[in-house]
Structure formats: structure tokens, C-alpha cells
Amino acid sequence: MTSSSTFLYGANVRANGIRQHYLRYGGKGPALILVPGITSPAPTWGFVAERLGQQYDTYVLDVRGRGLSETVPGMDYSLAACAQDVGAFAQALGLKDYILVGHSMGGRIGALVAANHAEGLSRLVMVDPPVSGPGRRAYPSKIDWYVDSIRLMTAGEPWERLRDFSPTWTDEEVRLRGEWLHTCNEDAIVQSYNEFHTTDMHVHLPQIKVPTMLMVAGKGGVIEAKDIEEIQQLVPGIKVDHVPKAGHMIPWDDLEGFFDSLNTFLPTKV
């Protein structure tokens, strides 16, 4: 840890009946919970949390079945269970008026938190969440992309084998992903991915009552104009902002664009 780092520590808390691991940054200012995507353990979001920690008391979660959070045979890896985890996590740590920022799968989890477990929640940011579901177009990334990369790292293959999976990332970013990808339980990833298609996020959106932002990747292919129109009808007053130069992994593609977008909504700029 350097003197300029906002990283404080990693810790565990028992909430919703499981061990939840998190990384804490900053320690001052309003509380902010960051919920990563389907195969992104908490350390892979450290470069984002470092900056958030300058203004916010930032908690980066390991979603169940990822990173150092609990994973056991037969565990319920549903997105509903993950949302319950977040709500219980906030209550266990006594977080009040916290902001939730969720990327991809984390955005869908965030919507469920806001709709069903909103105690203490003050704002929600959904970053390019999958809008697939029954009767809707499929999520553009295929399950093999996730499973094959996890199996390579679980087998101890060199991190360079991931280069073809993320060709635009820096060596440092690919190496970090390779270091943590083996901690992603394959059953958890498959169940989450399948739920992108078997459950419909949209049915929960009308229950969201907190100020909400939808951040859209300009080059992601996940969210289209018609999706935005539907979401705006379901969540009146939702703020929509685009990051034109970024694909789905927005902070990796355009970090400054990510923060510029976030700063249009957060109460204190970072």
C-alpha cells in the first residue's frame, strides 16, 4: 500500500447466512457499495475503487461464488439471493444512505436491491446491465467465453492465454484477471448467465423509488435505443448517460469517460 492509495483493508462479514468478503477504500464520506459483474472478483475493480475512495467510503463486494466470498456445493447462486446478500451486507455494516453502483450483472442485482431490499439505499447506478430475458434478444456474450477462460486459469495455464479473450486490455489488466478468475465458481457463473435469459429484470423496475442512473456503453451492444425507451417508461425520471467510446467493460475501455458519466449523477464528484 502506497501513501497515495485509498485502500484500507479486506474483510469478511456474515450476512444473509453466508460469509461475504469485501474490500474497503477511503473510509470517509458517503457510503458506496460497488457490485461487480459476473466474473469480476473485487480486486479486479481496485483501480476504480481507488478513485472512488477519494470521496466515498467505498465497499467492493465479492458476489457469492466469486473471489473470497462463500461458495459451497448446492449454494443458491440466483440473482435474487445475491440481491438479498447486498441488502443484508449494508444492514450488517450499518450503512445508511448508501449509493449502489453495479456493473453488468451487478446492475441487475442493483435493480433487485432497489426494488426489494432498499433499506438504507439512497441512489442506484446501473452500469450497462444485461436487458435480456424471456422473449427478449439474447445477451451478446456467450457462456463459453466465461467458462473456457475460467477453466484455463483453474488449470494453472499462463495468464497470457487470456489475451485472446480480452484483446484490448493492458497486460496488467489481463494478468490481474488471470490471477483471480479461478476463484469464480463455474456453477455460480452458469446459473447467473442462464438467469440473464430466464428472468426478466424489467418486472422489478417499477418498484424502484430511489434516484437511478443508467450508464450505457456506446460500443457495448448490450443496451439499444428501444431498451432505453422501455426502461425510461418503467422508471420515470431515470437519468440515462452514454459513454460513447467504451464497450461493455466501460472502465477498462474508457476510465475517464466512466467517471465523467458517473459525475453527472453522484452528489460529490470523483
Side-chain angles (χ1 to χ4, degrees):
M1 175 175 170
T2 66
S3 59
S4 61
S5 175
T6 64
F7 176 69
L8 296 177
Y9 54 80
N12 297 284
V13 63
R14 190 157 190 85
N16 197 31
I18 69 166
R19 185 192 72 255
Q20 297 191 46
H21 178 261
Y22 64 97
L23 302 179
R24 189 179 184 188
Y25 293 77
K28 297 179 181 179
L32 186 150
I33 298 177
L34 179 57
V35 184
I38 188 169
T39 55
S40 295
T44 65
W45 275 81
F47 71 109
V48 174
E50 283 279 9
R51 185 153 159 186
L52 289 170
Q54 295 173 6
Q55 301 292 342
Y56 293 91
D57 185 11
T58 302
Y59 300 79
V60 191
L61 294 189
D62 272 330
V63 178
R64 60 168 61 196
R66 286 91 170 164
L68 302 181
S69 284
E70 188 166 339
T71 180
V72 294
M75 176 176 269
D76 179 5
Y77 294 114
S78 66
L79 300 183
C82 295
Q84 291 173 353
D85 289 345
V86 176
F89 175 86
Q91 290 187 31
L93 294 185
L95 302 182
K96 306 295 184 182
D97 298 324
Y98 73 91
I99 299 164
L100 194 157
V101 178
H103 171 250
S104 191
M105 178 191 74
R108 274 182 84 136
I109 292 172
L112 292 173
V113 173
N116 303 309
H117 311 284
E119 181 179 351
L121 179 65
S122 65
R123 289 176 180 244
L124 169 65
V125 181
M126 298 185 293
V127 182
D128 220 45
V131 292
S132 47
R136 300 176 181 273
R137 72 180 185 283
Y139 184 58
S141 296
K142 304 303 181 185
I143 187 61
D144 291 349
W145 189 92
Y146 302 103
V147 171
D148 291 350
S149 59
I150 291 170
R151 290 179 178 177
L152 283 172
M153 295 302 99
T154 300
E157 294 290 335
W159 65 266
E160 289 89 350
R161 292 290 303 275
L162 295 179
R163 169 54 62 202
D164 290 341
F165 291 83
S166 304
T168 64
W169 291 18
T170 66
D171 284 351
E172 182 181 6
E173 291 166 345
V174 177
R175 187 183 297 112
L176 182 61
R177 180 169 174 78
E179 180 181 353
W180 285 95
L181 199 55
H182 77 281
T183 69
C184 295
N185 180 288
E186 186 174 319
D187 290 340
I189 276 46
V190 170
Q191 182 171 350
S192 297
Y193 182 89
N194 287 341
E195 280 202 22
F196 291 170
H197 302 90
T198 60
T199 64
D200 193 345
M201 174 184 74
H202 299 77
V203 300
H204 299 278
L205 296 183
Q207 280 71 57
I208 296 177
K209 303 305 179 185
V210 298
T212 301
M213 175 183 181
L214 175 67
M215 187 187 300
V216 180
K219 298 180 179 179
V222 174
I223 299 176
E224 297 179 353
K226 61 182 180 180
D227 303 314
I228 295 173
E229 293 176 3
E230 181 179 7
I231 292 172
Q232 287 175 321
Q233 292 176 359
L234 295 171
V235 189
I238 188 171
K239 178 177 177 57
V240 179
D241 196 65
H242 292 76
V243 184
K245 296 188 294 184
H248 179 61
M249 303 298 286
I250 296 178
W252 284 260
D253 291 342
D254 185 2
L255 184 61
E256 292 307 314
F258 171 78
F259 281 112
D260 287 345
S261 180
L262 206 56
N263 282 334
T264 67
F265 183 72
L266 292 183
T268 303
K269 293 184 178 181
V270 291

